[in-house]
Amino acid sequence: VYRARTGVSPEVARRRVAMPGEGQERIFGKTVDFVDAVFFERGRRAARAVARIITRDGIGLATGFMISPRLLMTNNHVIANATAATGLLAEFDYERDIDGTPVKVTRYEFAPQLCFVTNDEDNLDYTVVAVGKPVLGGAPLTGYGYLPISNSGTSTSSATS
């Protein structure tokens, strides 16, 4: 952060934080690895795109994450085929608030008839499935954002909300 803000080389940044001027905090250690507080907001936005994958009776199985406004990615060993997807739900907001109170969840059906792609090879082990209509809660799917799986520049969003 210091280097990004000042434009100095890594060596100069290390020297300056190790021997600060009067009134500055002295930093102990060999690394200058500060991060801005926005780091936490970026993590929070990314976490919004993560869903718990549950059975229709509420038993948690795994997690997945939104990779586009309508597609969720998980592992093939979690959802191996379209038939299995129809028996599962994507549950968002499965967490506690700052006071420790459970947040109201929103659950969505999967819609494998719209999109279902999977690969069971050990070195791939992925499933991409469309998310369908809500079955519990009213939070819109678009409010959860998504995590693009490519940094090719063709995506218009990263952890959008």
Side-chain angles (χ1 to χ4, degrees):
V1 172
Y2 181 83
R3 191 179 78 157
R5 288 187 174 161
T6 62
V8 299
S9 71
E11 297 78 30
V12 171
R14 277 193 279 285
R15 218 174 24 251
R16 285 186 183 171
V17 297
M19 303 298 287
E22 190 173 314
Q24 294 179 338
E25 181 178 0
R26 180 150 192 220
I27 307 303
F28 184 77
K30 294 182 178 184
T31 64
V32 180
D33 56 0
F34 304 109
V35 294
D36 286 320
V38 73
F39 168 82
F40 296 106
E41 178 58 27
R42 288 183 184 128
R44 182 71 187 129
R45 282 187 186 177
R48 296 266 311 141
V50 177
R52 188 169 85 128
I53 298 172
I54 63 171
T55 62
R56 289 196 173 260
D57 55 357
I59 298 171
L61 300 178
T63 59
F65 59 97
M66 298 299 294
I67 60 170
S68 81
R70 290 285 306 272
L71 300 178
L72 180 134
M73 177 178 255
T74 190
N75 295 104
N76 169 269
H77 67 264
V78 175
I79 305 176
N81 55 58
T83 303
T86 60
L88 301 172
L89 302 171
E91 181 178 64
F92 292 90
D93 295 322
Y94 183 77
E95 57 189 75
R96 296 181 184 274
D97 67 18
I98 197 164
D99 297 318
T101 305
V103 174
K104 290 184 180 180
V105 298
T106 298
R107 294 176 178 171
Y108 285 87
E109 292 181 327
F110 288 112
Q113 71 280 8
L114 299 178
C115 178
F116 187 87
V117 179
T118 194
N119 190 306
D120 64 355
E121 293 182 31
D122 286 340
N123 60 341
L124 295 176
D125 185 31
Y126 71 88
T127 292
V128 174
V129 60
V131 177
K133 66 181 182 175
V135 295
L136 177 70
L141 189 59
T142 56
Y144 294 104
Y146 62 93
L147 306 170
I149 56 174
S150 171
N151 63 356
S152 67
T154 57
S155 173
T156 59
S157 174
S158 63
T160 61
S161 53

